């Protein structure tokens, strides 16, 4: 291998856990050399990407055999459906309220937002067809467009409180970023082959999410929620998701799928209702303590075995 290739392989191997890299690093380098022998530059780049990506998954515990990776893979149909459904609902609501923007500036201003919604809807369609690689790529596009939209809104010249504006906009764009992260965290080999069950879950999430999000009127029903209900809407799905350490996937999967929306839609209002971000620290501290306790209990007792409650 050339010096550049050796450097690239070593960089990819650096993403692996130290013990695994020491024990199998040389073997992985030989396998890479054999696999890419005579291959073109793009094939080598793809192989390097796969090599590094799997090492990163091992380091972060997001492989198809780990609890985190399995949870993300099982939640993928719900996540893709929820993102696609909410995007469709927001697109329809935006069209009914504002119509189609006219003029170059209007189109440019709304381009990130419509790219976000379009990519999320197409990602859901790809997931429905079982094209998970395409679905994950489109989810990444929607997340990137959401970040651009958030930065665009918060850095306008007339904005005097950028953090306030950022969190206010995060109510609408934040769920797509967090859902995309869940989908990207799902290992490709652990994602389900599309069946009527998975398609039904995806379509149910797509139908129910905008109904819940726009229940009654988003500016009345959600806006006037008391702080304790908003806190519970964040804490309960979080603790449900952490139930994965006990192997309770039936509880953890819907918790993980719901958390991106419940977190995003309530964070800004909680800050307003408490009168400052620092006043959220006690609630956040108690949540972290409860989460750590649950994880420690799960590790001490061990995850559920083959007879444990599983979703699939």
């Amino acid at each position: 291998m050339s010096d550049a290739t050796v450097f690239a392989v070593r960089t990819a191997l650096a993403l692996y856990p130290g013990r695994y890299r020491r024990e199998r690093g040389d073997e992985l380098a030989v396998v890479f050399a054999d696999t890419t022998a005579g291959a073109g530059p793009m094939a080598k780049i793809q192989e390097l990407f796969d090599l590094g990506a799997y090492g990163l998954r091992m380091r972060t515990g997001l492989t198809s055999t780990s609890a985190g990776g399995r949870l993300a893979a099982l939640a993928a149909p719900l996540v893709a459906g929820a993102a696609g459904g909410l995007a469709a609902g927001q697109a329809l609501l935006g069209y009914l309220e504002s119509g189609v923007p006219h003029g170059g500036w209007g189109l440019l201003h709304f381009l990130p937002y419509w790219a976000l919604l379009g990519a999320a809807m197409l990602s859901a369609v790809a997931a429905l067809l079982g094209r998970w690689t395409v679905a994950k790529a489109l989810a990444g596009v929607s997340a990137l467009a959401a970040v651009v939209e958030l930065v665009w809104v918060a850095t306008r010249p007339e904005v005097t409180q950028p953090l306030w504006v950022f969190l206010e906009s995060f109510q609408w764009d934040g769920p797509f970023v967090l859902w995309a992260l869940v989908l990207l965290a799902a290992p490709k080999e652990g994602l389900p082959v599309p069946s009527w069950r998975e398609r039904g879950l995806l379509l149910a999430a797509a139908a129910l999410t905008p109904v819940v999000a726009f229940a009654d009127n988003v500016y009345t029903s959600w806006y006037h929620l008391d702080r304790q209900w908003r806190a519970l809407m964040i804490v309960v799905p979080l603790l449900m998701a952490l139930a994965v350490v006990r192997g309770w996937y039936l509880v953890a999967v819907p918790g993980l799928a719901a958390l991106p929306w419940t977190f995003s839609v309530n964070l800004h209002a909680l800050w307003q209702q408490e009168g400052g971000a620092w006043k959220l620290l006690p609630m956040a501290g108690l949540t972290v303590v409860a989460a750590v306790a649950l994880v420690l209990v799960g590790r001490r007792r061990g995850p559920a075995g083959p007879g444990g409650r599983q979703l699939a």
Side-chain angles (χ1 to χ4, degrees):
M1 292 187 290
S2 65
D3 292 342
T5 303
V6 170
F7 175 78
V9 171
R10 287 178 178 175
T11 303
L13 292 176
L15 297 172
Y16 283 76
R19 181 178 178 182
Y20 187 91
R21 184 174 64 250
R22 288 190 296 271
E23 292 178 353
R24 300 195 59 190
D26 293 340
E27 177 186 344
L28 290 174
V30 171
V31 170
F32 173 83
D34 293 341
T35 303
T36 59
M42 292 305 300
K44 290 183 178 181
I45 292 173
Q46 179 64 46
E47 193 68 25
L48 275 172
F49 178 81
D50 292 342
L51 181 67
Y54 189 74
L56 186 61
R57 287 193 176 278
M58 290 186 66
R59 187 176 287 274
T60 56
L62 293 174
T63 64
S64 59
T65 57
S66 67
R70 180 166 170 76
L71 174 61
L74 290 174
L78 291 176
V79 166
L86 185 59
Q90 288 193 17
L92 179 61
L93 186 64
Y95 174 76
L96 293 176
E97 287 183 345
S98 306
V100 178
H102 298 285
W105 176 250
L107 289 173
L108 180 63
H109 177 74
F110 285 101
L111 182 60
Y113 180 67
W114 287 106
L116 153 65
L117 299 183
M121 287 186 283
L122 290 175
S123 176
V125 173
L128 187 67
L129 299 175
R131 304 293 299 272
W132 286 111
T133 301
V134 177
K136 293 172 73 169
L138 288 168
V141 172
S142 71
L144 180 61
V147 171
V148 171
E149 167 75 9
L150 288 168
V151 173
W152 178 292
V153 170
T155 56
R156 289 175 299 176
E158 65 270 20
V159 173
T160 57
Q161 299 183 49
L163 180 58
W164 188 94
V165 173
F166 180 90
L167 289 179
E168 196 275 336
S169 299
F170 195 77
Q171 297 176 91
W172 312 108
D173 298 341
F176 297 101
V177 177
L178 300 180
W179 275 324
L181 291 177
V182 173
L183 200 55
L184 291 172
K188 182 172 60 176
E189 60 274 15
L191 288 165
V193 177
S195 66
W196 288 112
R197 179 170 173 272
E198 275 70 33
R199 290 190 177 102
L201 288 172
L202 192 153
L203 292 174
L208 290 175
T209 302
V211 171
V212 173
F214 304 137
D216 296 334
N217 185 294
V218 72
Y219 295 110
T220 57
S221 58
W222 294 123
Y223 185 76
H224 293 295
L225 276 179
D226 293 331
R227 66 191 70 175
Q228 62 268 23
W229 293 111
R230 291 191 179 279
L232 285 174
M233 285 175 68
I234 296 175
V235 172
V236 171
L238 174 62
L239 296 181
M240 288 174 63
L242 288 173
V244 70
V245 301
R246 298 295 307 278
W248 296 346
Y249 289 91
L250 281 172
V251 176
V253 167
L256 179 63
L259 184 60
W261 182 78
T262 60
F263 176 80
S264 301
V265 79
N266 289 298
L267 184 62
H268 180 257
L270 275 172
W271 178 22
Q272 284 186 300
Q273 291 169 348
E274 289 295 331
W278 66 272
K279 293 185 178 180
L280 298 178
L281 291 178
M283 182 188 72
L286 290 174
T287 303
V288 170
V289 169
V292 170
L294 181 61
V295 170
L296 291 177
V297 169
R299 286 183 176 177
R300 186 169 64 249
R301 296 183 180 180
R309 296 175 63 187
Q310 305 291 329
L311 182 67

